[in-house]
Amino acid sequence: MDLLFNILDKTLTGPITTKRDFEFKLVPQITRQILKEYGLEKTFDPGNPVNNDLKLADDFYKAGYELALRLGMFCPDTSRRVIFAEEEIKEALRNAPSEIALGYGKDRVTIRSRRPEDRNPPVAEGSSLGMAISEEYFIPLCMAIAQYRVIDIILAPTLDTINRREIRARTPYETIMGMYEARYVKEALARIGRPGMPLHGVEGAPTEYGYFGGFLWGGFDPDRTIGIALIPEPITLPYQILHRVAVNHLLGSPLEAGHMLCIGGYFGSPEGAAVGSIAAQILQAASMFPTLVESTILDARYFGNTGREALWSTSISVQARSRNNKIMNLGITSQVSGPCTEMLLYETAAISIAESVSGIAIEIGTRPAACRYKNYGSALENKFFAEVLKSAAKNLKLPDANEVVKALLPKYESKLKDPPKGKSFPECTDLKTLQPSREWLEIYEKIWRELEDLGLPRWE
């Protein structure tokens, strides 16, 4: 805990600034300076959405490392910057774990650091990430996802009611919800015959209160659950997140430090977003001492990561991070189209291939319709995601991945700002058998045949 105490001390003693100055002046100014200093301006290549230049990836890592040193983080609770000496960052990167085993019995899974073109497949985590779901469908959806053995870990969707009562942030409803999420997902795994499957949570906790509730005795098991500490804004370090960090370190539970940033946001261009995501990974390792780090890049124009700018920025960022430190990187597939559409599977294939071949250690899929619609997630796109993720690692190199993604993009990229809504979970799933509808299965088979024609074998 001494390291965490040191971080808490920094939030009380660092240089004073305002949130506005940090996010709207300091972050973009220093990012632009570093891009210029390292010659990385306008290196985005729209013709090659999966970066193939690993020397360029290394240059991005050096720039991201420098950004982490110059920028630090911002604690909004104290209006102070949390600054790190270079030796502190080096020590955090040296001490970062590179392997962890989770779960029980036949469902035990080992997550390991990976590098670009690593033939050992990433771990696949099934989810309808961030999607609000009705109580009646929560357990069936979790069961439907977990029935597929190609999926290694499960992350639950988000309950928006408990006992038909709306969950309100920072109220006892939220605290109770954390325990309900844990018990419901464990019940789903027991029913489907995978009681030892690793977990990830508390997904539905908008604040620390639901998180506390989920990790009480009888809730999420600390030795099989990855805790979530997702920072809500770029390179900030709020106390509500440090509460979660403290809980996980006190329990001895694995921890995901997470961060999403946008192309078109504080870091600006695709190049700026890539440098920012690298800096975020390094700073999260230095401030939160996590087991895994998520550093996701979305495109602010559609809030997904399946367009060519986001794919390029993501691929070069993952390559930079996986080549230059041993942190286990967690990725997210963030689609904008809904279930039972061809577009959802095209999007899923593109981002899964890009991240897998670039060296991601564990990937979360999926996030249909950008979480805009309640109950718009299903199990089949998760099975597809996991199969593509693992097959890409086994069968593709970076140039191959680039060619496949280039072939997929014209099939959907014109619709990123106006995607098809698709169908809800009960509309594309038989709730008695938990099997996909005939229509959805036919779409799945069609897209797999197209991928096979492009050179990606089915995962067996």
Side-chain angles (χ1 to χ4, degrees):
M1 292 298 292
D2 286 345
L3 292 172
L4 184 55
F5 282 133
N6 182 46
I7 299 302
L8 294 174
D9 291 342
K10 286 178 181 288
T11 67
L12 299 173
T13 58
I16 293 175
T17 188
T18 66
K19 184 175 185 293
R20 182 173 183 81
D21 282 349
F22 184 80
E23 293 183 346
F24 289 95
K25 293 182 181 179
L26 203 61
V27 172
Q29 286 175 1
I30 296 179
T31 301
R32 286 195 298 269
Q33 290 170 7
I34 286 177
L35 286 173
K36 186 173 183 178
E37 288 173 18
Y38 283 81
L40 300 177
E41 296 173 301
K42 298 182 179 179
T43 51
F44 163 55
D45 182 359
N48 291 292
V50 178
N51 176 62
N52 278 212
D53 186 345
L54 293 178
K55 181 182 181 303
L56 182 62
D58 291 341
D59 290 341
F60 266 89
Y61 185 81
K62 293 172 187 174
Y65 187 93
E66 181 65 21
L67 181 61
L69 281 173
R70 291 193 204 175
L71 195 57
M73 305 181 82
F74 174 71
C75 178
D77 302 272
T78 61
S79 296
R80 290 182 183 272
R81 290 173 65 191
V82 177
I83 305 294
F84 297 91
E86 185 167 12
E87 185 52 42
E88 291 177 304
I89 287 178
K90 287 182 177 179
E91 181 180 7
L93 296 178
R94 282 195 301 267
N95 293 335
S98 58
E99 180 176 319
I100 187 171
L102 297 170
Y104 313 138
K106 61 184 179 181
D107 288 308
R108 191 166 177 82
V109 173
T110 299
I111 307 169
R112 296 182 177 90
S113 295
R114 296 177 67 249
R115 291 172 63 83
E117 299 182 341
D118 194 325
R119 294 303 195 195
N120 293 310
V123 167
E125 181 168 335
S127 179
S128 288
L129 176 63
M131 181 193 75
I133 191 166
S134 303
E135 287 181 80
E136 64 182 303
Y137 300 135
F138 185 98
I139 288 177
L141 176 57
C142 290
M143 291 174 65
I145 293 171
Q147 71 180 310
Y148 298 119
R149 289 280 171 179
V150 69
I151 296 169
D152 305 301
I153 298 177
I154 190 163
L155 174 66
T158 301
L159 285 163
D160 66 347
T161 64
I162 47 171
N163 286 1
R164 298 173 300 281
R165 293 164 175 84
E166 181 184 357
I167 298 166
R168 299 173 184 271
R170 308 190 74 84
T171 71
Y173 292 108
E174 183 194 344
T175 305
I176 296 167
M177 179 281 305
M179 180 58 71
Y180 271 58
E181 179 185 310
R183 290 181 175 175
Y184 283 176
V185 72
K186 287 162 65 175
E187 173 65 20
L189 296 182
R191 289 188 194 180
I192 207 68
R194 300 190 69 181
M197 194 176 189
L199 305 170
H200 200 165
V202 180
E203 171 60 18
T207 77
E208 65 271 29
Y209 287 91
Y211 199 74
F212 296 160
F215 276 94
L216 292 173
W217 185 87
F220 284 106
D221 308 314
D223 58 347
R224 68 186 275 209
T225 304
I226 303 169
I228 302 171
L230 182 63
I231 298 173
E233 298 177 69
I235 315 187
T236 59
L237 195 61
Y239 279 172
Q240 67 150 313
I241 295 301
L242 289 174
H243 276 300
R244 298 176 185 228
V245 174
V247 165
N248 277 89
H249 283 293
L250 289 168
L251 290 172
S253 179
L255 176 68
E256 172 215 344
H259 181 107
M260 290 186 177
L261 55 85
C262 283
I263 297 170
Y266 303 107
F267 294 96
S269 63
E271 299 90 346
V275 170
S277 71
I278 295 163
Q281 183 226 38
I282 293 167
L283 289 167
Q284 287 161 14
S287 62
M288 300 161 74
F289 318 107
T291 313
L292 310 163
V293 176
E294 171 214 338
S295 200
T296 299
I297 299 170
L298 303 179
D299 191 315
R301 294 171 297 180
Y302 57 92
F303 290 104
N305 62 0
T306 59
R308 66 181 64 234
E309 291 88 350
L311 287 165
W312 179 88
S313 192
T314 296
S315 68
I316 201 164
S317 169
V318 175
Q319 292 162 20
R321 291 181 273 133
S322 63
R323 278 172 59 84
N324 288 280
N325 63 48
K326 63 176 183 173
I327 292 171
M328 291 180 281
N329 292 294
L330 182 149
I332 287 177
T333 70
S334 186
Q335 306 86 344
V336 295
S337 52
C340 209
T341 67
E342 293 184 5
M343 182 173 170
L344 177 59
L345 300 190
Y346 288 137
E347 287 189 88
T348 300
I351 184 61
S352 299
I353 290 169
E355 295 222 76
S356 179
V357 179
S358 293
I360 209 73
I362 173 174
E363 185 90 354
I364 298 177
T366 56
R367 195 170 177 256
C371 308
R372 291 189 299 270
Y373 310 114
K374 183 175 178 178
N375 298 327
Y376 271 71
S378 79
L380 188 60
E381 69 264 20
N382 280 278
K383 177 178 186 284
F384 177 81
F385 138 78
E387 292 168 339
V388 170
L389 184 80
K390 295 182 179 185
S391 180
K394 283 288 189 181
N395 297 291
L396 301 181
K397 291 186 177 294
L398 286 167
D400 307 320
N402 186 45
E403 292 304 315
V404 175
V405 172
K406 282 166 62 177
L408 293 175
L409 274 165
K411 297 175 182 289
Y412 69 85
E413 63 182 329
S414 65
K415 296 182 283 188
L416 285 169
K417 295 180 184 179
D418 186 25
K421 182 178 180 180
K423 295 186 177 181
S424 67
F425 175 61
E427 290 176 319
C428 62
T429 308
D430 184 322
L431 295 180
K432 291 182 179 180
T433 65
L434 300 181
Q435 296 306 301
S437 67
R438 178 178 294 180
E439 177 189 14
W440 197 194
L441 192 59
E442 287 176 354
I443 293 171
Y444 162 89
E445 292 292 341
K446 175 183 183 293
I447 306 307
W448 252 125
R449 288 193 296 271
E450 291 183 22
L451 289 174
E452 289 177 304
D453 290 342
L454 291 171
L456 181 68
R458 291 205 190 199
W459 179 259
E460 301 294 341

